[in-house]
Amino acid sequence: MMRRLHSLRRFTGNALLLAVCAAFSTAHAAEPNGKGAKNAPTTQKNAPAPAGEQFVDGIAAVVDKDVITLRELRDASLRIAGELKARGIQVPDDKTLQHQVLQRLIMERVQRHEADRLGIRVDDAQVDQAISTIAGRNKISVAQLRQEIEKSGVSWDSYRKSLKDEIRSDRLRQRAVDANIVISDAEVDAFLKDQRRNPAFAAATQPQAQPQPQPEAAPEQAAAPAGPMLYAVAQILVRVPEGSSSEQLAALRRKAEDLLARVKRGDDFASLAAANSDGPEALQGGVMGVRPLDGWPDLFAKAIANLQKGQVSGLLQSGNGFHILKVMDRGTAAPAPSRTARAPAPAQAPQPRPQPQAQAPQGPVEVMQTHARHILIKTSTVMSDEQARQRLEQVRQRLVAGDAKFADMARQYSQDATAPQGGDLGWLNPGETVPPFEAAMNALKPGEISQPIQTPFGWHLIQVEERRQHDATDDLARMRARQTLFERRAQPAFEDWLDQLRAQAYIDNRLEKQDRINQNNR
């Protein structure tokens, strides 16, 4: 449902950090135990070429009806080897890197196919807009951004493709996963009650003051010293497949224990993650992102709460397998970012109205609430962006002409859960909807109807019913709690959904087959 939609924080965090990765390419090598830089290859000539090029058909894998060629695998391996080297992470041996890169390419194909099925498409204009936004956030021009990207060894075309994939992935996640995560009022009540019982934990995770928010602020921009304690965390995951036998479980535990022992004796964490982790962030040195402590799943939060920068957890077991966590950085100022760091739990979206400067203890928080309705049409294989927009334009013409009522049109056309209520979203606080929706809504006077506007969820018409000043002290506390609970669930839910998506796809990994044949012939 549209109410309390979460902003495009994931895309913003990833894309912005993609943009500035050159500035931090030496950060990992500067770590006390960053041994990867010594052993990394000196030129990209040392990056692997697939050992399976003897295949006559030149196919590395087949995903549904799509082919991943050996040439594509080789090119991706060369590119990723260069990125690892630039970050001071030891490049795995040829076979291991090839395996990790092919797994990534397979998952990219699976996600792309699902995005196509849902009608999620990203055009060049959207990429250009994202690049302009990223450059603006870094206070540089697009030309300067391009120079920084190319200086890091990443071609501009490759960067644009990565950015396009990021946008598609985030839109897919928001459509397929985020919209299905429901945080009940009872859960919010329990969370707030727990915070009141544990003031020390709450003090470490809640902001002491709410500064004027910036659009979709990423962690490296959080310069204000007063704020939530942020944790930049990396992991090594040894995945335990569903249905594993006790013998397989024991073997995987031994593998995880061996990796933990290597980390404890000083082996480079990022290099071990790149070569051994089964997590989706393996080829980024295992870095999962930057969040407040209570934004991490409970299992992770308890494990890292008392760890300092550079310290490593013990072995953790979850439904996915065995985890080893490392605190890359922590503090109220921004932890050191990484190429794949996720933004922390979202701040409120920018508003034309004044925002609260302090939390509830400082006094009542007055905000301007908006009572709005909307009509949502989602895109799909049978409903393109243009068709959705045209349909809403036709609906709008009828509404403006007075031939129909907004609530009736919402019941007839809207594909949102609010359709039975005539698209009624109720009273919305600042920050409760995604920025494109909120910007369009804020530009309307009571009674006005917007032009069709696009968000990650589809195309919308918006009607503002009325506005009012409201003491939102309790509302804002509940919204922050809801966002925190959402963050705890979102990433695990997305990973579970990806596992299901991959299990449903037809995947023929030719390189794995060839490896098994070679082992049997020994």
Side-chain angles (χ1 to χ4, degrees):
M1 59 189 292
M2 270 296 302
R3 186 168 178 83
R4 295 189 177 92
L5 293 181
H6 297 270
S7 68
L8 292 172
R9 59 198 176 279
R10 296 184 184 81
F11 157 62
T12 306
N14 268 7
L16 190 57
L17 289 163
L18 274 168
V20 298
C21 62
F24 303 102
S25 61
T26 59
H28 176 77
E31 291 184 6
N33 63 344
K35 300 176 183 177
K38 299 179 188 176
N39 303 320
T42 56
T43 69
Q44 287 196 13
K45 293 180 181 179
N46 291 333
E53 285 188 295
Q54 69 270 20
F55 287 4
V56 175
D57 58 8
I59 295 175
V62 179
V63 182
D64 294 325
K65 296 181 180 179
D66 202 354
V67 169
I68 299 173
T69 65
L70 291 168
R71 179 185 294 273
E72 184 179 357
L73 176 59
R74 181 182 64 244
D75 291 346
S77 297
L78 286 167
R79 184 183 71 252
I80 290 171
E83 291 174 3
L84 292 172
K85 172 178 172 280
R87 295 182 59 198
I89 299 174
Q90 182 176 354
V91 179
D93 63 81
D94 293 2
K95 182 177 177 181
T96 300
L97 179 62
Q98 192 177 83
H99 167 79
Q100 296 282 59
V101 172
L102 185 54
Q103 293 303 318
R104 174 191 278 190
L105 293 175
I106 288 172
M107 279 310 305
E108 286 177 356
R109 286 293 205 281
V110 169
Q111 291 186 64
R112 188 183 304 169
H113 295 166
E114 183 66 8
D116 289 343
R117 188 185 72 80
L118 294 174
I120 296 173
R121 293 177 177 84
V122 181
D123 57 29
D124 288 341
Q126 290 172 302
V127 176
D128 291 339
Q129 183 180 13
I131 288 174
S132 296
T133 301
I134 292 165
R137 301 260 164 77
N138 285 278
K139 295 182 172 57
I140 57 176
S141 67
V142 171
Q144 290 172 315
L145 173 63
R146 181 168 183 167
Q147 289 176 355
E148 290 300 316
I149 294 299
E150 293 177 338
K151 192 186 300 181
S152 72
V154 179
S155 73
W156 187 243
D157 286 343
S158 177
Y159 172 69
R160 286 182 62 91
K161 179 183 180 301
S162 296
L163 194 55
K164 186 174 184 178
D165 289 341
E166 285 282 351
I167 299 170
R168 182 194 297 113
S169 179
D170 283 315
R171 289 183 63 184
L172 177 61
R173 172 175 173 160
Q174 288 174 332
R175 172 79 68 85
V177 179
D178 291 7
N180 296 320
I181 297 177
V182 178
I183 308 297
S184 70
D185 288 340
E187 290 174 297
V188 173
D189 291 339
F191 177 85
L192 293 172
K193 186 176 181 181
D194 185 61
Q195 283 200 325
R196 286 192 291 269
R197 279 193 202 142
N198 300 279
F201 183 83
T205 58
Q206 291 298 322
Q208 298 164 359
Q210 180 67 45
Q212 183 72 19
Q214 297 299 318
E216 301 173 353
E220 72 272 20
Q221 293 175 299
M229 179 70 73
L230 301 180
Y231 289 74
V233 180
Q235 78 159 341
I236 296 172
L237 169 64
V238 177
R239 190 176 298 279
V240 176
E242 190 173 348
S244 295
S245 66
S246 56
E247 291 80 7
Q248 291 171 320
L249 179 63
L252 291 169
R253 177 183 285 275
R254 286 194 296 273
K255 176 183 176 181
E257 289 172 344
D258 176 65
L259 289 169
L260 178 59
R262 293 174 64 183
V263 171
K264 294 288 189 182
R265 75 176 182 227
D267 286 11
D268 181 48
F269 191 96
S271 300
L272 286 175
N276 299 281
S277 180
D278 297 319
E281 63 289 309
L283 289 172
Q284 282 74 50
V287 176
M288 294 185 290
V290 183
R291 302 182 196 173
L293 181 62
D294 61 358
W296 293 102
D298 285 342
L299 179 68
F300 290 5
K302 291 175 182 176
I304 65 175
N306 297 318
L307 296 182
Q308 300 302 312
K309 176 181 176 180
Q311 291 186 327
V312 177
S313 72
L315 200 62
L316 309 175
Q317 185 172 2
S318 74
N320 287 329
F322 300 101
H323 307 259
I324 303 168
L325 306 180
K326 179 177 181 179
V327 175
M328 307 298 291
D329 206 345
R330 57 174 281 177
T332 51
S338 72
R339 185 177 182 275
T340 57
R342 298 285 188 187
Q348 296 179 61
Q351 299 297 319
R353 304 177 290 277
Q355 292 296 302
Q357 296 297 311
Q359 287 194 352
Q362 303 299 320
V365 178
E366 292 285 330
V367 299
M368 182 70 76
Q369 288 188 324
T370 302
H371 182 197
R373 296 178 185 269
H374 83 129
I375 299 171
L376 168 65
I377 294 182
K378 299 177 181 179
T379 55
S380 67
T381 52
V382 296
M383 178 65 69
S384 67
D385 281 328
E386 183 60 24
Q387 289 172 323
R389 187 183 62 79
Q390 288 179 357
R391 177 171 294 183
L392 286 180
E393 283 182 346
Q394 294 168 0
V395 171
R396 186 178 188 278
Q397 289 173 6
R398 294 182 60 186
L399 293 170
V400 172
D403 296 336
K405 294 182 178 180
F406 196 98
D408 293 337
M409 291 293 93
R411 292 186 185 96
Q412 182 176 349
Y413 290 105
S414 184
Q415 296 172 321
D416 186 56
T418 59
Q421 291 79 46
D424 192 353
L425 293 167
W427 288 101
L428 296 169
N429 289 313
E432 285 194 276
T433 60
V434 289
F437 187 99
E438 187 144 17
M441 180 179 69
N442 289 341
L444 299 174
K445 297 177 182 177
E448 286 186 336
I449 299 171
S450 72
Q451 296 291 335
I453 62 108
Q454 187 180 24
T455 77
F457 299 91
W459 286 82
H460 310 254
L461 283 183
I462 307 168
Q463 182 183 51
V464 169
E465 297 273 339
E466 54 185 323
R467 289 195 171 93
R468 70 181 183 188
Q469 284 292 132
H470 177 70
D471 181 358
T473 304
D474 183 62
D475 293 343
L476 294 177
R478 295 183 68 82
M479 186 170 70
R480 282 192 292 269
R482 195 176 298 273
Q483 290 169 336
T484 295
L485 292 169
F486 176 89
E487 286 294 338
R488 287 184 180 181
R489 290 191 191 172
Q491 186 61 29
F494 187 53
E495 291 175 2
D496 289 344
W497 181 78
L498 287 178
D499 287 342
Q500 295 171 15
L501 202 62
R502 175 168 179 149
Q504 294 165 3
Y506 170 78
I507 298 173
D508 179 10
N509 190 325
R510 303 276 177 97
L511 293 190
E512 283 189 355
K513 285 184 177 179
Q514 185 65 28
D515 286 342
R516 287 196 294 268
I517 291 171
N518 292 339
Q519 289 175 1
N520 292 334
N521 290 336
R522 287 176 185 170

